[in-house]
Amino acid sequence: MRVRVLGSAAGGGFPQWNCACPVCRLAWDGSDKVRARTQTSLALTANDVDWLILDAAPDLRQQILQTPALRPQHPGRHSPIRGVVLTSGDVDHLAGLLCLREGHAFSLYGTETTLAQVSTATLFGVLNPAIVTRQPLRLDVPFETGFGLTVRPFAVPGKVPLYLETEHVALGEETETVIGLEIGDGAKRVFYVPGCAHVTDGLAQRLDGADLLLFDGTTFTNDEMPALGLSKKTAARMGHLAMSGEAGSLHAFDHVKLGRKVYIHINNTNPVLIEDSPERAVVTAAGWDVAHDGMEIML
């Protein structure tokens, strides 16, 4: 299996277009201590011909242009993209679907909740239903893509998308609103969990023995954005688990057998984006890698 990180940043990308926080400032100034990142999306293949996209980031067109394997391979209209799987109805995961509206046939997978959010947004009517088939997923029921990859969706603690929030927001519920994905090719197993409010015993047990985990790395500390004066929302309030802290993700999987651990969906404020930062050193010492656009992992 070949895993390509198309984008590795959280919503807004890095640097974020309207942010001059200390980390973004380095990027704006052209520092070689950081590298620009687009918003989170993955591409996987088991045969180097047919590709499955996980989450359609707003930057998807740019990501395709930067990935030769995803460009047209035959004369006329063609794309090796065979399917797109959505892990939630967040704008960061849906907006890239609008980049796939030029008459290309593919399967769109999501839970009934997420597909309903797509269906009720009339803008997504640009995806011709005659050729873009919408395939509802059932939690813990695996499905075959037809090109060598099997995907099993499962619930992870999260919250509804921002645009659906009301005055009272339920945090950490395990429903089909936010899911993780287990992808296998018959030999290797990859887990993709770009959003997670906390690590449950059940989630840790599920991941045991995986060859690769790509996990929510949104912030380093829970109060990262409030401390910078950028938002009143903590990581927990946004439905994400910070890396550090007693209940953080850095050591949440120490007792779990994992081949490789990689942080993805990294917010522009997160100091681990600075390659020589103390925070990056802490993450590396704990056995984690930090995803970057264009990273490829062969399994």
Side-chain angles (χ1 to χ4, degrees):
M1 192 180 346
R2 182 178 170 193
V3 181
R4 170 92 177 194
V5 177
L6 301 179
S8 51
F14 174 72
Q16 184 169 301
W17 66 277
N18 64 344
C19 187
C21 72
V23 188
C24 283
R25 188 75 265 166
L26 288 173
W28 294 128
D29 291 343
S31 172
D32 60 4
K33 295 182 179 182
V34 297
R35 62 177 85 187
R37 288 167 163 83
T38 57
Q39 295 162 93
T40 293
S41 184
L42 288 185
L44 299 92
T45 182
N47 58 15
D48 286 326
V49 175
D50 306 294
W51 288 81
L52 183 69
I53 303 297
L54 308 186
D55 288 329
D59 312 295
L60 186 56
R61 180 180 181 276
Q62 175 185 346
Q63 294 167 348
I64 292 171
L65 293 177
Q66 294 173 342
T67 308
L70 297 182
R71 300 173 187 171
Q73 307 295 314
H74 305 296
R77 294 278 180 96
H78 173 265
S79 171
I81 296 173
R82 293 281 304 278
V84 176
V85 187
L86 306 173
T87 60
S88 79
D90 285 333
V91 170
D92 306 335
H93 297 170
L94 299 183
L97 292 174
L98 299 177
C99 301
L100 304 178
R101 66 187 185 275
E102 284 81 15
H104 172 59
F106 66 93
S107 296
L108 178 61
Y109 302 94
T111 64
E112 290 188 356
T113 296
T114 297
L115 291 182
Q117 289 158 5
V118 173
S119 297
T120 55
T122 56
L123 184 66
F124 291 109
V126 297
L127 297 172
N128 186 347
I131 57 174
V132 179
T133 59
R134 298 178 183 182
Q135 308 284 349
L137 304 179
R138 295 173 57 196
L139 296 180
D140 290 307
V141 177
F143 70 90
E144 302 287 341
T145 61
F147 46 93
L149 295 174
T150 301
V151 181
R152 182 190 297 269
F154 55 92
V156 295
K159 70 170 186 65
V160 298
L162 177 62
Y163 59 88
L164 293 178
E165 287 188 9
T166 59
E167 183 178 354
H168 302 289
V169 180
L171 299 172
E173 290 186 336
E174 292 184 72
T175 68
E176 64 174 39
T177 298
V178 179
I179 63 172
L181 301 172
E182 176 187 349
I183 306 97
D185 65 353
K188 302 292 184 178
R189 293 192 304 148
V190 173
F191 282 85
Y192 172 62
V193 187
C196 185
H198 59 267
V199 176
T200 64
D201 290 341
L203 177 59
Q205 293 170 8
R206 182 187 293 274
L207 300 179
D208 193 49
D211 298 283
L212 171 64
L213 169 64
L214 294 125
F215 191 79
D216 184 351
T218 306
T219 65
F220 188 76
T221 60
N222 186 51
D223 66 345
E224 187 169 291
M225 294 183 69
L228 291 169
L230 300 176
S231 172
K232 295 180 180 180
K233 293 182 179 180
T234 63
R237 172 58 183 81
M238 294 187 293
H240 295 284
L241 175 65
M243 296 177 177
S244 64
E246 185 176 348
S249 59
L250 266 176
H251 297 290
F253 305 105
D254 285 353
H255 62 293
V256 179
K257 182 180 178 181
L258 292 168
R260 189 172 179 181
K261 298 180 293 185
V262 180
Y263 278 125
I264 199 165
H265 194 270
I266 304 158
N267 201 56
N268 61 286
T269 56
N270 194 328
V272 302
L273 292 172
I274 306 172
E275 297 184 4
D276 64 351
S277 67
E279 292 84 0
R280 174 67 75 93
V282 168
V283 165
T284 301
W288 287 86
D289 294 323
V290 176
H292 59 81
D293 292 20
M295 173 187 279
E296 282 206 354
I297 301 172
M298 298 294 294
L299 298 172

